[in-house]
Amino acid sequence: MDSWDGILQGFSVALTPTNLLYVFFGVLIGTVIGVLPGLGPTASIALLLPITYTVEPVTAIILLAGIYYGSMYGGTITSVLLRLPGEAASVVTTFDGYQMAKQGRAGPALGIAAIGSYIGGTVSVIGMILLAPPLADLAVSFGPPEYVALTILGILLVTYLGTGSVLKSLCMAALGLLLATIGLDPITGTARFTFGEVALFNGLDFVAVAMGLFGVGEILHSLERTDKVQAVTSKIKGIWPTRKDFRDSSGAIGRGSLLGFVIGVLPGGGGVVSSLASYAMEKRRAKDPSRFGKGAIEGVAGPETANNASSTSAFIPLLTLGIPPNVVLALIFGALIQQNITPGPQLIEQEPEIFWGVIASMVIGNMMLLALNIPLVGVFVQMLRVRAGILAAFALLVTMVGVFSVNNNAFDMWVVLGFGVIGWLMKKTGFEPGPLVLAFVLGSILERAFRQSMLLSGGDLDIFVTRPISGGMFAFMALIIIVSAITSRRRKAVFGRVDPADVDETDESAPDADRQVTAEGSPGADSTTDTTAGTPTDGPSGSTSTTPGER
Amino acid sequence: MHGSTSASGAPTEGTADRGHRWRQLHRIAPLLLLVLGVAAIIGSRQLGLGELTAPGPGLWPFIVSLLLTGTAAVLVLIDPAEDYEPWTRGTIRIIAGLVSLGVFILLFQTFGFVVSAFLMLVLWLRVFGGESWRWTLGLAVGGTAVMYLLFVELLGVPFPEGLVDAVIGG
């Protein structure tokens, strides 16, 4: 189908009253949870998964996408005002945004972030329209071996982009793959690891696993910390940036858009990596790098633009290859699978209304966000008054009742509780739930592709390396492993330099929060050192900071 | 993450003796994974591995559990455990919270939504959230009502029959 026809069809889908309403809900919820500490985009999307069953697939993904990029806006607000990033991708914004707020320029910081995000999102949507159809055409020629390579690459990159121990992440990925095999064997029908439990014949319910690990697990983990959040009482003035602000940040916004788009497309990409990379790039390009960390507006504009651009372009691999590039997209992927929609190269042809509808909804959603954010920042700030205990109580109740409502089955409630315990213990012991869930979602695809490959090749493993595309991908993976093994010492040095206060406040719920310390194998990697070195270290933590804007 | 970054403010370092004991305790997590991995290997073999040309149902789980066992085994030996978070007084509260969630599920199955949701909100708001009684009761009553309307009336979720349903006549 012609792209132009597709866009028109997309708008005809996205502009229906229901879908408009859900885009609005999505971006609103996204902004709110971006503001609220203790509930990140991953946890919120996990909590809202049951709702997606009551609506059409396209509406569901429109809602979830809205939450994802909406949270990128919301996270900015607390980063700037309280040096408390509501979600991981906004950590970088605290560097200069909070300094701007201390200088009484919170308004312009938030304004330029909203405008930059809008531009980044829009550029990314345009890029998606141009890039996605040819990529899907290419992917149609992919056979099972290519899918094996692509899936493993996705899992590998997510494990490598986490913090700390790659080994732990790999271990969790293996556990996720193993959990995915529970249930009836798709080919022979043999019951595997079900222990005679009929409720397990269809496998562990993805929603229950995700809600347990991210919803319950993260809430419990954040409850254990008793951070107090100060409410911002003063008015924020002068949101619309001055002409000078625009002039100063226009370059950063332009570069951030492109950079964010490119990083978002790569497996393992997404908000955090791109905002770090953009910050490092702006600092390196600046005539006077010492201004960074002291309230340089480019340091807010670039990363905020980039994280929004990447959270949009991250949908490209999902919708064209059927491979979720990060954990949030894995949840959206799971939601689609539950609706009997398999994202992949055929999606554009077979379900054009989903593909183009989502794209069109992003155009609308970004406009809504701009319209919401510029005048309503003050209202969102008041959300900070909601106390963590209240939030946790209601979030847990919604989780429990919500998971029941999916299958009207109390067994799923126990699964959620079980995985909640596991998720909390994983957090305590330094295992990340992200790779587990991603692997769990991709497990059945990987197994099927692997078995098909074996049938194709007559049991010869050479098939994975002799075909050019899968061979290339495996070569790339080998490269990542070798490079990271060599540079692992340096990686540790970088890791040690991150201000604990910044890390501490972020990882409340976003499992990818820890990724602010990025690893090798991504464009952001080489710049990490610069970025973390630029971390302002004044003030022990965001929670003790003074209320900005008082002067 | 660093183990020292927990913001709960409880004592984190402890005595040297306790620290030493920790160094052994932290191996429990990878050990559990190792046990799980070995069990899965045995389980997969029993399912039947088949051949590479004709993979049996156990082949893929076998490969995956080998990976799990391998990584867990290395972790048992070399895990630096520097990313472990300390166990604090907050931990006990969390365990109590988990038990309360289990009780909630049982109550939910026996008494239906209204009673169990109300009790759970009261417990969590008052005990774990530290809210005043006024806030607790107000939020618990309001929250239960709103969620009942949302799930039962709007979404039509068939909750287990409960006490209040019998009274209302639903």
Side-chain angles (χ1 to χ4, degrees), chain A residues 437-455:
Chain A
V437 170
L438 189 77
F440 180 73
V441 167
L442 291 175
S444 58
I445 301 176
L446 184 53
E447 178 179 8
R448 195 168 53 234
F450 174 76
R451 285 164 81 162
Q452 284 168 345
S453 304
M454 286 301 97
L455 294 175

Side-chain angles (χ1 to χ4, degrees), chain A residues 51 54 163-165 167-168 170-178 181 185 188 190-193 216 219-221 223-227 387 389-394 396-398 400-402 404-405 408 410-411 413-414 417 420-421 424-425 427-431 443 446-447 450-451 454-455 458-461 492 495-498 500 503-505 507 514, chain B residues 1-2 5-9 29-30 33 36-37 39-40 43-44 47 52-61 63-65 67-68 71-72 74-75 78-79 81-88 90-91 93-95 97-98 101-106 108-109 113 116-117 120-121 124-125 128-129 131 135 139-140 142-144 147 151 155 157-160:
Chain A
I51 294 183
T54 58
T163 28
S165 172
L167 204 59
K168 281 184 165 179
L170 272 181
C171 189
M172 284 300 105
L175 183 60
L177 290 174
L178 183 64
T181 64
D185 176 7
T188 62
T190 318
R192 302 191 292 194
F193 307 121
V216 178
I219 293 167
L220 292 174
H221 181 251
L223 256 195
E224 217 175 325
R225 302 143 170 257
T226 43
D227 299 331
R387 286 181 287 270
I390 299 179
L391 197 67
F394 279 96
L396 284 172
L397 186 58
V398 170
M400 284 297 173
V401 177
F404 174 85
S405 73
N408 299 326
F411 180 80
M413 294 169 92
W414 291 109
L417 187 57
V421 177
W424 170 63
L425 287 175
K427 274 286 196 183
K428 293 290 285 181
T429 50
F431 287 92
L446 184 53
E447 178 179 8
F450 174 76
R451 285 164 81 162
M454 286 301 97
L455 294 175
D460 194 348
L461 291 168
K492 251 180 207 143
F495 185 46
R497 235 185 290 172
V498 176
V503 185
D504 200 32
E505 304 296 338
D507 66 345
D514 301 339
Chain B
M1 289 202 47
H2 300 282
T5 54
S6 171
S8 46
L33 289 165
L36 186 69
S44 323
L47 284 169
L52 275 181
T53 40
L59 181 67
W60 178 250
I63 297 172
V64 172
S65 39
L67 181 65
L68 178 65
T71 47
V74 180
L75 280 174
I78 64 147
D79 185 9
E82 62 191 18
D83 47 4
Y84 279 54
E85 289 185 13
W87 304 89
T88 64
T91 311
R93 282 156 42 95
I94 301 299
I95 292 167
L98 284 169
L101 285 180
V103 173
F104 168 76
I105 301 177
L106 293 174
F108 178 79
Q109 284 173 287
F113 173 74
S116 50
M120 185 194 148
L121 282 177
W124 274 79
L125 291 170
F128 299 114
E131 297 296 323
W135 273 97
L139 282 171
T144 308
M147 300 239 314
F151 279 98
L155 297 176
V157 178
F159 283 139

